[in-house]
Amino acid sequence: ADPNFSGEDPDDVMVTVIDDDGPMDASIGDFVWFDQNRDGIQDGSEAGLPGVTVYLDLDNDATLDPGEPSDTTDTAGAYDITGLAAGTYPIRVDDTTLPVGCSLTTGNIPHNVILTESEDYNDADFGYQGYTLDVTVVGTGGSVSVDPDQLTYLYGTSVVLTPTASLGWTFAGWSGPDVGDLSDNGDGSWSLAMDASKALTATFTQVHFILTVNVDGSGLVDKSPDQSTYPYGTAVILTPTATLGWSFADWGGPDQDSLSDNGDGSWSLTMDEDKKVTAIFTEDQYYVAMTIDGMGTVENSPGNPYTYGLTATLTPLPSPDWRFASWTGSDAGNLSDNGDGSWSITMDTSKALTATFTQDDYTLDVTVVGDGSVLREPDQLTFTHGTPVVLTPTATLGWSFAGWSGPCLLY
């Protein structure tokens, strides 16, 4: 701090001339400047205030009176009051010459300087701040650039405000007590004339997107999270579930390529715009797989393929000299006997059945007239169709075989 400079209460300042007869060659000077960052120190980028009158308030009445030494700042904000004798001087700024709205940042006024004989004192500066601009941002997805970006502004300064939304956010609008002073430039920026301190609020909101899931066929799709709209970047999991008798087949729709298969029956989708997908379900088709054991066929009505819940009616049709014997196979237990030579089965899956046919059985009745016997080869109680049997008649002693009779034709 300068030992010649005092920040005393101005009411206590007295003007003392050390030597009335001394030389009048001392001076007091420095700068009056615009303190943009309001720190009380003139930084290299902070400009002087031209046209401001600085004076020595010899009678300490806070008024520039005739005869009181003064100087007006030049274009750089510099002043220099010369021709002074040694003494103590209160230095003031004529507030009427300051830009509108300025207030001091460098301590008290007056500045009190103890000036020695022939001294060139150059440390009596005056820093002034202007109007403040308070821009509040609501929402985490945006910012506002301010040009020029200063802590304080001189009267009449034009400030350009440009809100910029982050990805997935949008600028919703301005609010605040001074919103009416904004002028839309039509290019995404707004202008503001600083004729007072201003306060504005820029509001940013998240962009929300709509997910439309359509269903083709019979089934439903679970959405997690299940919301009417989704903020940008939200990951949505879609899980299709088919109705009984139906299966999920594939995805369709304009955004089907945005889906990522999770490998567990679900798909993921990132919401970066409105999306539309279709879950495609197809009706299951079931078949009766029939195996034939023996000679015969099975009529399958109405016939393969079947959809879930339909009834298949199965009618065994044996070939001539054959008869239907039984059903076997993994699904034989699901058959229901209709009592008319047909069986029914409900198609809730594909079915595997075996129809077994057996040949008809015949008896061979050989009657002996007279005294003798007949040997049958093979000697069985019954014979299947086409079985060759050799009959050998043998007469008892004293008898002879006379011939065959009866309905059968013998070879």
Side-chain angles (χ1 to χ4, degrees):
D2 192 315
N4 295 339
F5 177 77
S6 170
E8 303 174 26
D9 189 314
D11 293 337
D12 298 333
V13 173
M14 299 294 291
V15 177
T16 303
V17 176
I18 296 175
D19 184 359
D20 288 336
D21 297 326
M24 304 286 287
D25 59 357
S27 66
I28 298 174
D30 206 343
F31 289 90
V32 180
W33 45 280
F34 179 45
D35 191 2
Q36 291 183 9
N37 60 8
R38 301 183 295 179
D39 66 351
I41 300 172
Q42 187 176 13
D43 303 314
S45 62
E46 293 178 328
L49 295 176
V52 178
T53 298
V54 182
Y55 67 97
L56 305 183
D57 192 10
L58 299 180
D59 59 1
N60 200 30
D61 66 351
T63 302
L64 175 57
D65 301 315
E68 291 182 326
S70 66
D71 191 26
T72 300
T73 57
D74 61 16
T75 55
Y79 74 93
D80 192 21
I81 303 173
T82 61
L84 301 177
T88 301
Y89 295 94
I91 310 170
R92 290 185 185 273
V93 172
D94 184 357
D95 291 345
T96 64
T97 63
L98 287 168
V100 176
C102 282
S103 59
L104 190 68
T105 63
T106 52
N108 294 326
I109 282 187
H111 286 340
N112 298 312
V113 175
I114 300 172
L115 190 64
T116 61
E117 187 176 296
S118 302
E119 180 181 4
D120 186 14
Y121 185 84
N122 290 306
D123 197 18
D125 61 344
F126 297 87
Y128 285 89
Q129 67 176 352
Y131 297 120
T132 59
L133 174 58
D134 180 18
V135 179
T136 301
V137 173
V138 174
T140 59
S143 61
V144 177
S145 67
V146 181
D147 184 25
D149 188 6
Q150 302 169 183
L151 292 177
T152 181
Y153 297 89
L154 288 176
Y155 178 87
T157 301
S158 179
V159 181
V160 177
L161 305 174
T162 306
T164 302
S166 302
L167 194 62
W169 291 73
T170 186
F171 175 66
W174 295 102
S175 60
D178 298 298
V179 67
D181 297 333
L182 285 166
S183 176
D184 190 345
N185 298 325
D187 60 357
S189 69
W190 281 257
S191 293
L192 180 69
M194 294 301 295
D195 53 9
S197 289
K198 305 284 186 179
L200 296 166
T201 298
T203 300
F204 295 88
T205 56
Q206 280 186 293
V207 178
H208 282 69
F209 300 109
I210 297 173
L211 174 57
T212 302
V213 179
N214 296 318
V215 172
D216 180 1
S218 186
L220 55 86
V221 177
D222 176 71
K223 295 187 294 182
S224 179
D226 187 4
Q227 301 169 188
S228 57
T229 61
Y230 296 90
Y232 177 90
T234 301
V236 184
I237 296 176
L238 303 180
T239 305
T241 303
T243 303
L244 197 61
W246 292 71
S247 294
F248 174 73
D250 202 355
W251 290 102
D255 297 297
Q256 60 176 313
D257 292 338
S258 299
L259 288 160
S260 176
D261 190 346
N262 298 325
D264 60 357
S266 70
W267 281 257
S268 294
L269 183 70
T270 300
M271 296 301 296
D272 50 12
E273 60 181 347
D274 288 340
K275 303 278 189 180
K276 183 179 289 186
V277 295
T278 299
I280 301 171
F281 297 91
T282 55
E283 201 166 8
D284 294 337
Q285 292 189 325
Y286 305 120
Y287 294 81
V288 177
M290 186 65 63
T291 300
I292 302 296
D293 182 7
M295 296 293 291
T297 60
V298 175
E299 182 184 81
N300 179 357
S301 179
N304 292 330
Y306 292 90
T307 56
Y308 183 87
L310 292 183
T311 299
T313 300
L314 306 177
T315 305
L317 301 173
S319 297
D321 299 313
W322 290 73
R323 58 185 174 81
F324 174 71
S326 64
W327 294 104
T328 56
S330 56
D331 296 296
N334 297 321
L335 286 162
S336 176
D337 189 346
N338 298 325
D340 59 358
S342 68
W343 280 258
S344 295
I345 191 167
T346 300
M347 298 300 294
D348 50 10
T349 61
S350 288
K351 305 293 183 180
L353 296 166
T354 297
T356 300
F357 296 89
T358 57
Q359 288 181 292
D360 291 338
D361 292 330
Y362 302 107
T363 61
L364 176 57
D365 184 19
V366 178
T367 303
V368 175
V369 176
D371 196 359
S373 63
V374 176
L375 175 66
R376 295 186 298 184
E377 182 64 37
D379 188 9
Q380 302 171 184
L381 293 178
T382 61
F383 301 88
T384 59
H385 178 79
T387 301
V389 181
V390 177
L391 301 178
T392 304
T394 302
T396 305
L397 189 63
W399 291 74
S400 63
F401 174 67
W404 296 101
S405 62
C408 294
L409 180 64
L410 296 177
Y411 298 93

